[in-house]
Structures are given as structure tokens and as C-alpha cells.
Amino acid sequence: MTGAKNRRQGAATAPPELKDQDNEVTQGANGYESAHADDGPQENIFLLWPNIIGEHGMRYSRIVLAFASLYYMPLHPRTCSLLYTVSCLLDALDGYAARYFEQSTRFGAVLDMVTDRCTTACLLVFLSSAFPRWAIVFQGLISLDLASHYIHMYATLAMAGSESSHKNVDASRSRILSLYYTNKTFLFLACALNEAFFIALYLLSFSSPLLSPSLLQQTAVVPEVGAQVNSSLLKLVFANPHSAGALELARANKMDSFWPWVLAGVSFPVMALKQIINVVQLVKACKWLAEGDLKARRAMGLPRRKRKTA
């Protein structure tokens, strides 16, 4: 009690400048600095408006919609595609929300990147099971997407500092990466059409016997009530594809492969370009880290010259 009383008395008689310094920042034992409550209004980073209504969309809502789309993915292509598309389109609004509310945060930027990588990876995992012959391709795309973005982010933090954004790519390092990250229209179209191609493949796995020959085997079985049936295969199920039964079935569960093929054809070149950008991003980030390692080794006098022995 006496020691605590003496400390309080000492604080009360301390010079004003020392009191001000004590009220500004407290250094914790773990090395992080924390401000006191009287320094200004306190903010909860997890509840900032851009995190709630989304960076390039609803951040938290995007996660909920992504999980919902994954739930419907195995058996309900229309519902899944709608939820997945809305989740991706919301990614076009959160940046504006962050700037408008002056609440751009590193947490929000990382949350967006992680959400993008995870949703795309989950869709590619499904495509691997839907098209097992091409599983190695989809697995490679997942690995490339995760590796290129992780190494690029790490290289930015290690070489440019924690205050630098991974989107600040100098044209002298890579013109295509600089264009990709600084031109918002190019960035949006590249990401949107990349996702559109994979969504088209997902829909084709339900509607195109050309890509999914197993769909033809389903015609030998009488469809159950509410089961997924493809209208493009009605002529194989019914003698007259324009009969009342065929038309009723088509209206109840219409899934035609024409528009998914159109979407796949339009978006394929952009998807291929996006993968090229991922490769460039991976290579440039690795070279940037290697340059930093060389400078660090030279600063330490490495490699040491071997002494010649007589």
C-alpha cells in the first residue's frame, strides 16, 4: 500500500512534459504500442464500414455469400452461380467505401485478398472433381494463384517496407504488373472475366455432355421430383422434346449449355492473360527478394574470400 501511494504521489508531482509523454503512448511487453482512451475516439477496425459493406463489395457479406455458394455448389448450379457472382461483384464496391469513409486499412486489404484467393480456390477444387482428367491443370492454377500473390505480398513488405502497398508496382520493374494494379478498369475486367470463365466451366459441368459425358448416363433413369435435369438433353429423355411433359420439365429446371459456352469463349483469353500475369508476378517477386538477399550478404561481407594456402 505504501509503495502504491508513493507511486501515485510521484506521478502527481512529476513534470508536465513527463505526464504528456506517459499519456501519449504505452509500450507493452510484447513490443506493440497502444494509445490511451483519452487520446481521441477509439475505433474497432473489425467494425469499420468498408469491412461491413465490403471492399470492392461487402467484406464480411462476401464471406457469407461465398460460404452459401459453396453449400449449394454440388447440386444447385443456378443458386450457387448467383451467390458466387454477387460475392465477386461486391468486390467492386469496397474500395470506394473505404475511401469515402476514410477507413482504408491494411486489415481490409488483406481480408479482401484472402477472400479472393479462397473463393477461387474452392471453385477450382470443385472443377477438379467435375473434370478429373483436367485435375492437374486446376491444381496448378490454385498453386500459381496462391504462390504468386503470397510471394508478391511478402516481397513488398520485406523490400519496400510495411507502409508500402502491394499494388504500388513501378513500371520499371514490370509494365504489365504496373498496368494491372494501377489501372482500375483493367484490374476489374481481368479479375471479373477470370472468375467468369471458371463459373462458365462450372455451369458446363451440369449442362454440357461434351465436357461431362456422365450427363448422358442420367437419361437412362427416370428423373426424380425436383432432381437436376438439363433441358439440352430433353430430346434424349422424351420422344418429342416439345411435348407438354418436356416443356414443363424445361420450365421447372432449365439449364442450357449455350450461354455458358459463350461466356467461356469470351472470357478464356482474359483468363489466360490473368495466369500470365500471375507467372510474371511470381517471377518478379522472387527476383526482387533475391536482389535483397544479395545486398544483405554483401553488407555482411559475404561470400568471404578464401585465403590462399601456401
Short mmCIF file of all heavy atoms in Angstrom, two decimals, residues 233-269:
data_model
loop_
_atom_site.label_atom_id
_atom_site.label_comp_id
_atom_site.label_asym_id
_atom_site.label_seq_id
_atom_site.Cartn_x
_atom_site.Cartn_y
_atom_site.Cartn_z
N LEU A 233 -30.84 -31.90 -72.89
CA LEU A 233 -30.92 -33.35 -73.07
C LEU A 233 -32.35 -33.85 -73.14
O LEU A 233 -32.59 -35.05 -73.08
CB LEU A 233 -30.19 -34.05 -71.93
CG LEU A 233 -28.71 -33.71 -71.77
CD1 LEU A 233 -28.13 -34.45 -70.58
CD2 LEU A 233 -27.95 -34.05 -73.02
N LEU A 234 -33.33 -32.94 -73.26
CA LEU A 234 -34.74 -33.35 -73.26
C LEU A 234 -35.06 -34.29 -74.42
O LEU A 234 -35.87 -35.20 -74.29
CB LEU A 234 -35.65 -32.12 -73.31
CG LEU A 234 -35.71 -31.30 -72.02
CD1 LEU A 234 -36.57 -30.06 -72.24
CD2 LEU A 234 -36.25 -32.12 -70.88
N LYS A 235 -34.41 -34.03 -75.55
CA LYS A 235 -34.71 -34.88 -76.72
C LYS A 235 -34.23 -36.31 -76.51
O LYS A 235 -34.68 -37.23 -77.21
CB LYS A 235 -34.06 -34.30 -77.96
CG LYS A 235 -32.55 -34.19 -77.89
CD LYS A 235 -32.00 -33.54 -79.16
CE LYS A 235 -30.48 -33.41 -79.09
NZ LYS A 235 -29.95 -32.76 -80.31
N LEU A 236 -33.31 -36.50 -75.55
CA LEU A 236 -32.86 -37.85 -75.24
C LEU A 236 -33.75 -38.52 -74.21
O LEU A 236 -33.73 -39.74 -74.06
CB LEU A 236 -31.41 -37.83 -74.73
CG LEU A 236 -30.37 -37.25 -75.70
CD1 LEU A 236 -29.00 -37.24 -75.03
CD2 LEU A 236 -30.34 -38.05 -76.99
N VAL A 237 -34.50 -37.71 -73.47
CA VAL A 237 -35.39 -38.23 -72.44
C VAL A 237 -36.79 -38.45 -72.98
O VAL A 237 -37.44 -39.45 -72.67
CB VAL A 237 -35.42 -37.27 -71.23
CG1 VAL A 237 -36.33 -37.83 -70.14
CG2 VAL A 237 -34.01 -37.05 -70.70
N PHE A 238 -37.26 -37.51 -73.82
CA PHE A 238 -38.62 -37.56 -74.37
C PHE A 238 -38.55 -37.80 -75.88
O PHE A 238 -37.66 -37.29 -76.56
CB PHE A 238 -39.36 -36.26 -74.09
CG PHE A 238 -39.55 -35.97 -72.63
CD1 PHE A 238 -38.63 -35.21 -71.96
CD2 PHE A 238 -40.65 -36.47 -71.95
CE1 PHE A 238 -38.78 -34.94 -70.61
CE2 PHE A 238 -40.81 -36.20 -70.60
CZ PHE A 238 -39.87 -35.43 -69.92
N ALA A 239 -39.52 -38.57 -76.38
CA ALA A 239 -39.60 -38.81 -77.83
C ALA A 239 -39.82 -37.49 -78.56
O ALA A 239 -39.26 -37.25 -79.63
CB ALA A 239 -40.72 -39.80 -78.14
N ASN A 240 -40.64 -36.61 -77.98
CA ASN A 240 -40.91 -35.30 -78.56
C ASN A 240 -40.42 -34.24 -77.58
O ASN A 240 -41.04 -34.03 -76.54
CB ASN A 240 -42.40 -35.13 -78.84
CG ASN A 240 -42.70 -33.78 -79.48
OD1 ASN A 240 -41.79 -33.01 -79.80
ND2 ASN A 240 -43.98 -33.48 -79.68
N PRO A 241 -39.33 -33.56 -77.89
CA PRO A 241 -38.80 -32.57 -76.94
C PRO A 241 -39.72 -31.37 -76.74
O PRO A 241 -39.49 -30.58 -75.83
CB PRO A 241 -37.48 -32.14 -77.58
CG PRO A 241 -37.64 -32.46 -79.03
CD PRO A 241 -38.51 -33.66 -79.11
N HIS A 242 -40.78 -31.24 -77.59
CA HIS A 242 -41.72 -30.13 -77.44
C HIS A 242 -43.04 -30.59 -76.83
O HIS A 242 -44.03 -29.86 -76.87
CB HIS A 242 -41.99 -29.49 -78.81
CG HIS A 242 -40.74 -28.95 -79.46
ND1 HIS A 242 -40.11 -27.83 -79.00
CD2 HIS A 242 -40.01 -29.41 -80.52
CE1 HIS A 242 -39.04 -27.59 -79.76
NE2 HIS A 242 -38.97 -28.54 -80.69
N SER A 243 -43.05 -31.79 -76.27
CA SER A 243 -44.26 -32.28 -75.63
C SER A 243 -44.54 -31.51 -74.36
O SER A 243 -43.68 -30.78 -73.84
CB SER A 243 -44.13 -33.77 -75.32
OG SER A 243 -43.08 -33.97 -74.38
N ALA A 244 -45.74 -31.67 -73.82
CA ALA A 244 -46.13 -30.94 -72.61
C ALA A 244 -45.21 -31.31 -71.45
O ALA A 244 -44.80 -30.45 -70.66
CB ALA A 244 -47.58 -31.25 -72.27
N GLY A 245 -44.89 -32.61 -71.35
CA GLY A 245 -44.02 -33.04 -70.26
C GLY A 245 -42.63 -32.46 -70.38
O GLY A 245 -42.02 -32.02 -69.39
N ALA A 246 -42.09 -32.45 -71.62
CA ALA A 246 -40.75 -31.91 -71.82
C ALA A 246 -40.70 -30.42 -71.54
O ALA A 246 -39.76 -29.93 -70.90
CB ALA A 246 -40.29 -32.20 -73.25
N LEU A 247 -41.71 -29.68 -72.00
CA LEU A 247 -41.73 -28.24 -71.77
C LEU A 247 -41.91 -27.92 -70.29
O LEU A 247 -41.32 -26.96 -69.77
CB LEU A 247 -42.85 -27.60 -72.60
CG LEU A 247 -42.66 -27.66 -74.12
CD1 LEU A 247 -43.86 -27.04 -74.83
CD2 LEU A 247 -41.39 -26.94 -74.53
N GLU A 248 -42.72 -28.70 -69.59
CA GLU A 248 -42.91 -28.46 -68.17
C GLU A 248 -41.60 -28.70 -67.40
O GLU A 248 -41.24 -27.95 -66.50
CB GLU A 248 -44.00 -29.39 -67.63
CG GLU A 248 -44.29 -29.22 -66.14
CD GLU A 248 -44.85 -27.86 -65.80
OE1 GLU A 248 -45.38 -27.18 -66.71
OE2 GLU A 248 -44.73 -27.46 -64.63
N LEU A 249 -40.93 -29.76 -67.80
CA LEU A 249 -39.64 -30.07 -67.16
C LEU A 249 -38.62 -28.98 -67.46
O LEU A 249 -37.82 -28.59 -66.60
CB LEU A 249 -39.13 -31.42 -67.65
CG LEU A 249 -37.87 -31.97 -66.95
CD1 LEU A 249 -38.13 -32.13 -65.46
CD2 LEU A 249 -37.48 -33.29 -67.57
N ALA A 250 -38.64 -28.45 -68.71
CA ALA A 250 -37.70 -27.39 -69.08
C ALA A 250 -37.97 -26.12 -68.29
O ALA A 250 -37.05 -25.43 -67.85
CB ALA A 250 -37.80 -27.11 -70.57
N ARG A 251 -39.24 -25.79 -68.11
CA ARG A 251 -39.58 -24.58 -67.34
C ARG A 251 -39.22 -24.74 -65.88
O ARG A 251 -38.80 -23.80 -65.21
CB ARG A 251 -41.08 -24.28 -67.48
CG ARG A 251 -41.48 -23.67 -68.81
CD ARG A 251 -42.89 -23.10 -68.74
NE ARG A 251 -43.86 -24.16 -68.50
CZ ARG A 251 -44.49 -24.82 -69.47
NH1 ARG A 251 -44.23 -24.55 -70.74
NH2 ARG A 251 -45.37 -25.77 -69.17
N ALA A 252 -39.38 -25.95 -65.35
CA ALA A 252 -39.11 -26.18 -63.93
C ALA A 252 -37.62 -26.16 -63.63
O ALA A 252 -37.20 -25.74 -62.56
CB ALA A 252 -39.71 -27.52 -63.49
N ASN A 253 -36.81 -26.61 -64.57
CA ASN A 253 -35.38 -26.72 -64.29
C ASN A 253 -34.58 -26.53 -65.57
O ASN A 253 -34.06 -27.48 -66.15
CB ASN A 253 -35.07 -28.09 -63.69
CG ASN A 253 -33.92 -28.02 -62.72
OD1 ASN A 253 -33.04 -27.20 -62.86
ND2 ASN A 253 -33.93 -28.90 -61.74
N LYS A 254 -34.52 -25.30 -66.04
CA LYS A 254 -33.87 -25.03 -67.31
C LYS A 254 -32.36 -24.85 -67.12
O LYS A 254 -31.92 -24.04 -66.33
CB LYS A 254 -34.45 -23.78 -67.95
CG LYS A 254 -33.90 -23.50 -69.34
CD LYS A 254 -34.58 -22.31 -69.98
CE LYS A 254 -34.06 -22.08 -71.38
NZ LYS A 254 -34.71 -20.90 -72.00
N MET A 255 -31.59 -25.61 -67.85
CA MET A 255 -30.14 -25.49 -67.81
C MET A 255 -29.61 -25.82 -69.19
O MET A 255 -29.48 -26.99 -69.57
CB MET A 255 -29.53 -26.43 -66.76
CG MET A 255 -28.01 -26.44 -66.76
SD MET A 255 -27.26 -24.85 -66.43
CE MET A 255 -27.70 -24.62 -64.73
N ASP A 256 -29.36 -24.81 -69.97
CA ASP A 256 -28.89 -24.99 -71.34
C ASP A 256 -27.41 -24.63 -71.39
O ASP A 256 -26.93 -23.80 -70.61
CB ASP A 256 -29.69 -24.10 -72.29
CG ASP A 256 -29.40 -24.45 -73.74
OD1 ASP A 256 -30.04 -25.39 -74.25
OD2 ASP A 256 -28.54 -23.79 -74.35
N SER A 257 -26.69 -25.26 -72.28
CA SER A 257 -25.24 -25.07 -72.33
C SER A 257 -24.80 -23.95 -73.27
O SER A 257 -23.61 -23.66 -73.34
CB SER A 257 -24.56 -26.38 -72.77
OG SER A 257 -24.99 -26.73 -74.08
N PHE A 258 -25.74 -23.31 -73.98
CA PHE A 258 -25.35 -22.32 -74.98
C PHE A 258 -24.64 -21.12 -74.34
O PHE A 258 -23.52 -20.77 -74.73
CB PHE A 258 -26.57 -21.84 -75.76
CG PHE A 258 -26.27 -20.71 -76.72
CD1 PHE A 258 -25.62 -20.97 -77.91
CD2 PHE A 258 -26.62 -19.40 -76.41
CE1 PHE A 258 -25.33 -19.92 -78.80
CE2 PHE A 258 -26.33 -18.37 -77.28
CZ PHE A 258 -25.69 -18.63 -78.48
N TRP A 259 -25.29 -20.48 -73.37
CA TRP A 259 -24.71 -19.27 -72.78
C TRP A 259 -23.45 -19.56 -71.97
O TRP A 259 -22.50 -18.76 -72.01
CB TRP A 259 -25.75 -18.54 -71.93
CG TRP A 259 -26.80 -17.88 -72.77
CD1 TRP A 259 -28.12 -18.20 -72.87
CD2 TRP A 259 -26.59 -16.79 -73.68
NE1 TRP A 259 -28.76 -17.39 -73.77
CE2 TRP A 259 -27.85 -16.51 -74.29
CE3 TRP A 259 -25.48 -16.03 -74.05
CZ2 TRP A 259 -28.01 -15.50 -75.23
CZ3 TRP A 259 -25.63 -15.04 -75.00
CH2 TRP A 259 -26.89 -14.78 -75.57
N PRO A 260 -23.38 -20.68 -71.24
CA PRO A 260 -22.09 -20.99 -70.61
C PRO A 260 -20.95 -21.14 -71.60
O PRO A 260 -19.82 -20.71 -71.33
CB PRO A 260 -22.38 -22.31 -69.88
CG PRO A 260 -23.83 -22.24 -69.56
CD PRO A 260 -24.45 -21.56 -70.73
N TRP A 261 -21.24 -21.72 -72.80
CA TRP A 261 -20.20 -21.83 -73.82
C TRP A 261 -19.79 -20.45 -74.33
O TRP A 261 -18.59 -20.18 -74.55
CB TRP A 261 -20.68 -22.68 -74.98
CG TRP A 261 -20.48 -24.15 -74.80
CD1 TRP A 261 -21.45 -25.12 -74.70
CD2 TRP A 261 -19.23 -24.84 -74.70
NE1 TRP A 261 -20.88 -26.35 -74.54
CE2 TRP A 261 -19.52 -26.22 -74.55
CE3 TRP A 261 -17.91 -24.43 -74.74
CZ2 TRP A 261 -18.52 -27.17 -74.41
CZ3 TRP A 261 -16.91 -25.38 -74.60
CH2 TRP A 261 -17.22 -26.73 -74.45
N VAL A 262 -20.78 -19.57 -74.52
CA VAL A 262 -20.48 -18.21 -74.97
C VAL A 262 -19.62 -17.49 -73.93
O VAL A 262 -18.61 -16.85 -74.26
CB VAL A 262 -21.77 -17.41 -75.23
CG1 VAL A 262 -21.46 -15.95 -75.49
CG2 VAL A 262 -22.53 -18.01 -76.41
N LEU A 263 -20.01 -17.61 -72.67
CA LEU A 263 -19.26 -16.96 -71.59
C LEU A 263 -17.85 -17.51 -71.51
O LEU A 263 -16.88 -16.74 -71.32
CB LEU A 263 -19.99 -17.15 -70.27
CG LEU A 263 -19.37 -16.50 -69.04
CD1 LEU A 263 -19.28 -14.99 -69.21
CD2 LEU A 263 -20.18 -16.84 -67.78
N ALA A 264 -17.71 -18.81 -71.66
CA ALA A 264 -16.38 -19.42 -71.60
C ALA A 264 -15.51 -18.94 -72.76
O ALA A 264 -14.31 -18.65 -72.59
CB ALA A 264 -16.50 -20.94 -71.62
N GLY A 265 -16.10 -18.85 -73.97
CA GLY A 265 -15.33 -18.41 -75.12
C GLY A 265 -14.88 -16.96 -75.02
O GLY A 265 -13.75 -16.63 -75.39
N VAL A 266 -15.76 -16.10 -74.49
CA VAL A 266 -15.42 -14.68 -74.37
C VAL A 266 -14.37 -14.45 -73.29
O VAL A 266 -13.46 -13.62 -73.44
CB VAL A 266 -16.69 -13.86 -74.08
CG1 VAL A 266 -16.34 -12.43 -73.71
CG2 VAL A 266 -17.64 -13.90 -75.27
N SER A 267 -14.49 -15.17 -72.19
CA SER A 267 -13.62 -14.91 -71.03
C SER A 267 -12.31 -15.68 -71.06
O SER A 267 -11.39 -15.35 -70.30
CB SER A 267 -14.37 -15.25 -69.74
OG SER A 267 -14.79 -16.61 -69.74
N PHE A 268 -12.20 -16.69 -71.92
CA PHE A 268 -10.98 -17.51 -71.92
C PHE A 268 -9.71 -16.69 -72.19
O PHE A 268 -8.71 -16.87 -71.49
CB PHE A 268 -11.10 -18.64 -72.94
CG PHE A 268 -9.82 -19.43 -73.08
CD1 PHE A 268 -9.47 -20.38 -72.13
CD2 PHE A 268 -8.97 -19.21 -74.16
CE1 PHE A 268 -8.29 -21.10 -72.25
CE2 PHE A 268 -7.79 -19.93 -74.29
CZ PHE A 268 -7.45 -20.87 -73.33
N PRO A 269 -9.67 -15.81 -73.21
CA PRO A 269 -8.42 -15.05 -73.44
C PRO A 269 -8.00 -14.22 -72.24
O PRO A 269 -6.79 -14.13 -71.93
CB PRO A 269 -8.78 -14.15 -74.64
CG PRO A 269 -9.91 -14.85 -75.32
CD PRO A 269 -10.69 -15.48 -74.22
#
